[in-house]
Amino acid sequence: MKKSPILLLAMVLICSLLLNACSSGSNTGNEPANKPADTPTNTTTDEVTPAEGTGETVEVKDPKDYSGTISLMTPWGEFNPKIIEAFNKKYPNIKVESAGGGDNWADKLMTSLSTGTGAPDVVQVHEVFYDRFKAIDGLEDLLLPPYDAGKYKKDFTDNVWSLSTSLDNKRLFGFPYYLNPYVTFYRADVMEENGYPSDPKELGEYIADPDQFFTMAKTLASKGYVFFRWPGEITDISHNGTGFYDHNLNYLRNTEEFVKAIDYAKRSLQLGLLTNEDIRGEKADQVVKNGKLAMYHNPPSAINFLQGRDTTNQWRVTSLPFGNHPARGMSTFLIPSQSKNKELSWEFIKFVTMDQTALEIYMELGDSVPAFLPARDFPIVKSLENEYLGGQKALEFYFSQVDLIKNPIGSPLDFDANVVWREALSEALTKNKDSQTALNEIMDAIEKKVSVQKHDLMKQLGQ
């Protein structure tokens, strides 16, 4: 029977579609199933249609076709050399040079941005220092072409994305690297010997109840154990990461949440849950070495402090007392507008923050988690066991806490506000002031301290 031309054409099209489907859906084993977004293939230049559906085509360059030198500034003066080495395997013709860091790095960068000269090509900024750059000129808005960073937003939590925006929340000055949870390291042997839960999950649920925490802590404090290193630490973990000002510069810390925070601090002092003086630095070292620090509240990287002072391997990690989930440690990458190598800098940022090889190197110590959400499915997260924490899979735990972090908002006023907060809080606790009265006085002191800067920022925001 003779087949019609239409039938033959239909059969050809069907076969072609089936072949394409099989080819695009196959996994050869050479690439991870959860390949990070925007990981360029090691093939020759290809043409793709942008996600925006404009109908235009853009070239995707082979990593080997990028060439030049970028200068990188970090707070510590150098970046992980193993990650740089991995970057150069993929981008062999891009050289990464250190642009320094160290003491006063943020002030130096601020000066470079304001004068329009001397800034590096790319900068890693961490924690509260980024807030200082949220309302100044001189940084690239990564939402605009050629970066178009908005297409990656789905791969990051809303809180870390918001933290990386400008003060008006309309521009993206930073591209997120990590946002670590605030966690509690604790002595499992101390808990077990005294009849309290020693399993991380069980203890986390137990101390989330303030009454249960204080009852337990009072008992252990009577045996000489310490739970906090200074009063401000108590208020830090007693709220959900609320900053000082919102995007419209409204003050945020005169609420019932902070009345409770001060109440918890006062109660801790009365029960003897901390020494009569700050025990940071050498004093904290001694308390750890003597085995009398029952809990240590900090970001995941704090394990490095413990490992150098206590080799019992009895420490474990869990969530914070009082049931809160604030962040503790954030980092993001900026590109100054005066950078002469913006394209190369953007390639470096994407590699460091989203490439699986780079992120597995970053996580190999198990003391920090990247902001890139697909990283939680990388094999290292489920396989890495921390021997110092008794074989606990800490990376899995840290990622579970990331989803619970509330959305903190940073402003350029926060740096000075925090200085006033700590000084005034210490005075209020020493004098045992009423919590609401203390909050009112602290708010007035902060507003006075930042009044000139706040006025200028509000004008900038058109208010």
Side-chain angles (χ1 to χ4, degrees):
M1 179 177 171
K2 187 175 181 181
K3 296 181 176 64
S4 72
I6 294 177
L7 181 58
L8 286 171
L9 178 60
M11 292 176 65
V12 170
L13 287 172
I14 291 171
C15 290
S16 176
L17 288 170
L18 288 172
L19 285 171
N20 286 336
C22 292
S23 175
S24 62
S26 64
N27 191 329
T28 63
N30 295 324
E31 296 179 341
N34 296 303
K35 188 177 180 182
D38 199 59
T39 303
T41 57
N42 292 319
T43 58
T44 56
T45 301
D46 195 3
E47 286 193 344
V48 296
T49 303
E52 290 77 14
T54 61
E56 300 176 359
T57 58
V58 294
E59 286 189 346
V60 177
K61 292 170 64 174
D62 187 289
K64 297 180 179 64
D65 292 337
Y66 292 95
S67 179
T69 300
I70 58 174
S71 55
L72 169 65
M73 174 184 280
T74 76
W76 308 277
E78 61 180 43
F79 196 73
N80 189 318
K82 292 177 68 175
I83 295 179
I84 297 293
E85 182 181 350
F87 175 73
N88 285 140
K89 284 184 179 178
K90 188 168 188 177
Y91 294 86
N93 300 313
I94 299 180
K95 183 179 180 181
V96 181
E97 293 183 342
S98 173
D103 294 340
N104 301 318
W105 67 271
D107 293 332
K108 295 174 185 175
L109 178 60
M110 186 74 74
T111 299
S112 296
L113 295 177
S114 62
T115 61
T117 182
D121 292 307
V122 60
V123 188
Q124 181 187 5
V125 178
H126 71 291
E127 297 174 4
V128 70
F129 291 100
Y130 176 70
D131 297 337
R132 298 176 61 186
F133 301 97
K134 298 186 77 163
I136 65 172
D137 294 325
L139 295 173
E140 292 291 279
D141 180 1
L142 301 179
L143 294 177
L144 299 178
Y147 314 104
D148 297 316
K151 62 187 175 184
Y152 304 114
K153 184 178 181 181
K154 66 183 184 304
D155 292 321
F156 297 86
T157 60
D158 289 341
N159 49 52
V160 73
W161 194 266
S162 178
L163 278 171
S164 297
T165 62
S166 57
L167 178 60
D168 60 13
N169 209 29
K170 296 178 180 178
R171 294 162 291 172
L172 188 74
F173 284 159
F175 198 78
Y177 189 23
Y178 63 76
L179 180 67
N180 279 314
Y182 211 148
V183 296
T184 292
F185 293 93
Y186 68 95
R187 285 281 300 273
D189 56 334
V190 172
M191 298 300 152
E192 187 169 350
E193 290 168 5
N194 289 276
Y196 297 107
S198 60
D199 174 77
K201 187 174 186 297
E202 292 176 4
L203 182 63
E205 293 173 350
Y206 185 85
I207 63 177
D209 183 309
D211 290 332
Q212 289 185 158
F213 170 78
F214 280 118
T215 300
M216 175 197 73
K218 179 182 178 182
T219 299
L220 294 179
S222 68
K223 299 181 179 182
Y225 289 104
V226 176
F227 286 78
F228 302 107
R229 295 171 296 150
W230 69 90
E233 185 175 58
I234 306 168
T235 56
D236 283 347
I237 69 172
S238 300
H239 65 88
N240 266 320
T242 305
F244 290 92
Y245 292 91
D246 64 17
H247 289 296
N248 294 312
L249 300 182
N250 298 305
Y251 188 77
L252 298 173
R253 288 197 169 194
N254 198 349
T255 63
E256 184 61 31
E257 179 184 39
F258 284 92
V259 171
K260 285 185 178 180
I262 295 181
D263 285 344
Y264 291 158
K266 291 163 65 175
R267 190 173 176 183
S268 297
L269 287 168
Q270 292 164 0
L271 295 176
L273 306 189
L274 65 165
T275 60
N276 293 325
E277 57 181 339
D278 285 0
I279 53 170
R280 286 170 276 192
E282 293 181 3
K283 296 174 184 176
D285 293 354
Q286 200 58 45
V287 174
V288 174
K289 291 175 182 177
N290 291 340
K292 289 302 181 181
L293 187 64
M295 288 186 172
Y296 183 51
H297 316 284
N298 235 324
S301 59
I303 190 175
N304 300 309
F305 169 82
L306 297 172
Q307 284 177 310
R309 293 159 181 82
D310 182 346
T311 58
T312 62
N313 286 31
Q314 292 294 335
W315 289 91
R316 304 291 183 269
V317 64
T318 188
S319 48
L320 293 173
F322 316 132
N324 298 307
H325 301 278
R328 184 71 167 181
M330 169 262 195
S331 180
T332 191
F333 284 96
L334 324 174
I335 299 179
S337 296
Q338 58 188 274
S339 168
K340 296 179 175 60
N341 297 290
K342 296 182 180 67
E343 181 184 39
L344 304 185
S345 298
W346 182 229
E347 291 302 311
F348 175 79
I349 290 173
K350 289 188 294 182
F351 178 84
V352 169
T353 59
M354 296 188 289
D355 183 89
Q356 180 168 348
T357 299
L359 293 179
E360 289 197 330
I361 293 173
Y362 175 69
M363 291 189 285
E364 65 185 7
L365 296 179
D367 62 355
S368 190
V369 293
F372 186 57
L373 289 176
R376 69 179 60 201
D377 295 321
F378 293 168
I380 188 174
V381 176
K382 301 186 184 301
S383 64
L384 186 65
E385 297 179 351
N386 194 306
E387 294 183 8
Y388 186 74
L389 298 175
Q392 189 175 354
K393 293 185 176 181
L395 285 176
E396 272 194 321
F397 169 71
Y398 299 144
F399 270 115
S400 74
Q401 297 299 290
V402 167
D403 291 333
L404 302 174
I405 293 175
K406 301 297 181 181
N407 186 13
I409 299 170
S411 82
L413 305 177
D414 285 12
F415 188 87
D416 288 336
N418 191 52
V419 174
V420 176
W421 171 270
R422 292 202 176 281
E423 292 176 353
L425 175 64
S426 179
E427 179 184 355
L429 292 173
T430 300
K431 296 180 178 179
N432 197 27
K433 290 184 179 180
D434 171 74
S435 297
Q436 185 60 65
T437 300
L439 279 180
N440 294 338
E441 292 178 354
I442 293 173
M443 179 182 70
D444 291 341
I446 288 175
E447 289 277 67
K448 181 179 179 180
K449 174 68 174 179
V450 304
S451 60
V452 174
Q453 188 182 5
K454 181 178 179 179
H455 178 265
D456 293 341
L457 287 172
M458 291 184 72
K459 284 177 62 178
Q460 191 173 327
L461 292 171
Q463 297 181 14

